[in-house]
Amino acid sequence: MVMKRKLFTTLAGLGILIMFMYCFPAQAQILKDINGNEYNIAKLGLQEWSASNLNASKFRNGDVIPEAKTPEEWKKAGAAGKPVWCYFDNNAENGKMYGKLYNWYAINDPRGLAPTGWHVPANADWTTLVKNLLGVDMAGQRLKSKTVWKSNPGRDDIGFNALPGGYRDGDGKFESLGFKCQTWSNSEPVEPIKSNKIFSTIMNDNSVEIGFVPMVKESGLSVRVIKD
C-alpha cells in the first residue's frame, strides 16, 4: 500500500511538472541578432521563439539588406526577386515596436536572415505551437499582446507578444496597422498549379483565432524566428 501511494505521488508530481512546462513556460535567455538587437525568448514545450518581431538590417554573414521606401522600389525588388525590408509607413518609430517588414526573398536568402542556430518558421513549427496552445480557435488570443490592439487585445499567456504590425502588399501599399498581425510561415501551399505564394500566419483584432493564409512573395510581413 505504501509503495502504491509513493508511485501515485511520483506520477502525480510528474504530471504537474509536464503541465507546468506546457502551460506556464518561463522566459529564457536573450537572443541577439547581427545588428546587436536583443529579443526576449518565449518558450513552450520544446520550442523557443523570439518574443518580438525581427529588426535586423543585415544577413547572418553581415551583408546589408537593402531598404525599399517607395512603392516603386518595393515593386522593382519583388519583380527582380531581390530581398528588401521596410518600416511600416517608412517610419523608423514604428520599427521600435513592430520591427521590420521583409519580403519573402529576404527570409529565403541563402545568406540567412535568422541569427545562427535559429530559422524562420515553417508551417510545421507554427502548427506545433498552435497545438500546444490548444488549437487554432484559441491560439490567437493566447499569443496576442495585452496592449496596442485597437479593440481586442489578447492574453499573451507565454510571453509571445504578438503585435498588430500590419503588412505591405506586393504593390508597396501599407495596410492594417493596429488591426492585423501577419507573419511569414516559410511553406509553399500545395496546389495543382504552382503559384507565387507562401504561407503566413494571421491574427486579427476582431478574432481569438490564428489562421494560415497564402501571400505573394513580394509582400512585406513581420518575421519571428525559432531555435533550430
Side-chain angles (χ1 to χ4, degrees):
M1 180 66 71
V2 173
M3 185 176 294
K4 287 183 178 180
R5 198 173 292 151
K6 286 183 177 180
L7 178 60
F8 177 80
T9 302
T10 301
L11 291 174
L14 182 61
I16 292 172
L17 177 62
I18 293 172
M19 183 177 69
F20 183 85
M21 287 174 59
Y22 278 86
C23 297
F24 304 98
Q27 289 288 336
Q29 72 276 12
I30 297 296
L31 169 66
K32 185 178 290 188
D33 68 24
I34 188 70
N35 288 90
N37 300 309
E38 295 185 344
Y39 309 84
N40 288 330
I41 296 172
K43 185 174 182 181
L44 182 61
L46 300 178
Q47 291 186 326
E48 294 185 28
W49 293 77
S50 61
S52 51
N53 296 332
L54 198 67
N55 202 23
S57 62
K58 298 178 181 178
F59 289 113
R60 186 185 301 165
N61 68 352
D63 288 351
V64 172
I65 307 168
E67 179 182 8
K69 291 186 176 182
T70 67
E72 291 74 25
E73 289 174 339
W74 187 264
K75 288 191 290 185
K76 183 178 178 180
K82 301 294 185 182
V84 286
W85 65 267
C86 66
Y87 296 116
F88 190 95
D89 273 346
N90 298 310
N91 184 347
E93 287 298 310
N94 285 326
K96 294 178 181 179
M97 177 174 291
Y98 300 111
K100 293 177 171 61
L101 302 175
Y102 301 87
N103 67 7
W104 177 81
Y105 302 105
I107 73 166
N108 199 54
D109 193 284
R111 289 170 287 184
L113 181 62
T116 301
W118 296 71
H119 63 274
V120 177
N123 274 7
D125 299 306
W126 286 105
T127 299
T128 297
L129 177 65
V130 169
K131 181 179 179 181
N132 288 339
L133 291 170
L134 306 181
V136 294
D137 293 339
M138 286 295 296
Q141 184 183 32
R142 301 187 70 182
L143 292 171
K144 286 163 65 175
S145 64
K146 296 178 181 179
T147 59
V148 183
W149 294 84
K150 292 294 184 181
S151 57
N152 290 294
R155 289 175 13 195
D156 198 19
D157 288 349
I158 67 169
F160 190 87
N161 194 39
L163 296 170
Y167 69 96
R168 193 174 197 178
D169 68 20
D171 290 325
K173 184 179 179 182
F174 294 100
E175 301 278 0
S176 300
L177 185 70
F179 294 95
K180 186 174 292 185
C181 172
Q182 198 152 1
T183 310
W184 283 115
S185 179
N186 200 12
S187 295
E188 292 188 28
V190 178
E191 299 174 323
I193 300 176
K194 190 175 178 65
S195 70
N196 186 42
K197 294 183 178 180
I198 298 294
F199 272 113
S200 69
T201 62
I202 185 168
M203 288 171 261
N204 289 303
D205 184 58
N206 61 357
S207 175
V208 298
E209 300 176 354
I210 184 171
F212 291 82
V213 179
M215 296 288 288
V216 295
K217 295 175 180 178
E218 295 80 14
S219 304
L221 306 183
S222 299
V223 170
R224 291 298 180 104
V225 295
I226 183 172
K227 194 171 185 180
D228 294 347

